[in-house]
Amino acid sequence: REKGVPNVRWRGTFKEGDTFCSGELATHRGALWLCKRDGTSQKPGRPAEGEAPDWVLIVKSGGVPQ
């Protein structure tokens, strides 16, 4: 296994108050996010001013093409 490649684990829908670890995936507001910091409870999306983002957007939400 390559060094620096995290294990990925599906956590389901993001819920306020839950704690996430690096490499965990969650959906929030229709988008798929990857957590990049252990022990975060920060909501995926835009972090509060002055905070570094703890999540990386993997798949953006959007409408279904017709």
Side-chain angles (χ1 to χ4, degrees):
R1 179 158 180 90
E2 271 186 59
K3 189 174 185 176
V5 177
N7 291 320
V8 176
R9 179 175 170 229
W10 172 246
R11 287 284 304 272
T13 303
F14 175 84
K15 294 180 200 125
E16 294 230 23
D18 284 356
T19 301
F20 291 80
C21 294
S22 179
E24 292 183 328
L25 293 165
T27 56
H28 179 66
R29 301 187 74 177
L32 179 64
W33 296 86
L34 174 68
C35 183
K36 63 180 193 175
R37 186 172 72 89
D38 286 337
T40 189
S41 57
Q42 182 186 86
K43 187 184 298 184
R46 294 185 184 175
E49 190 170 327
E51 286 185 19
D54 292 342
W55 297 87
V56 175
L57 179 64
I58 301 298
V59 178
K60 187 176 179 179
S61 62
V64 177
Q66 299 192 3

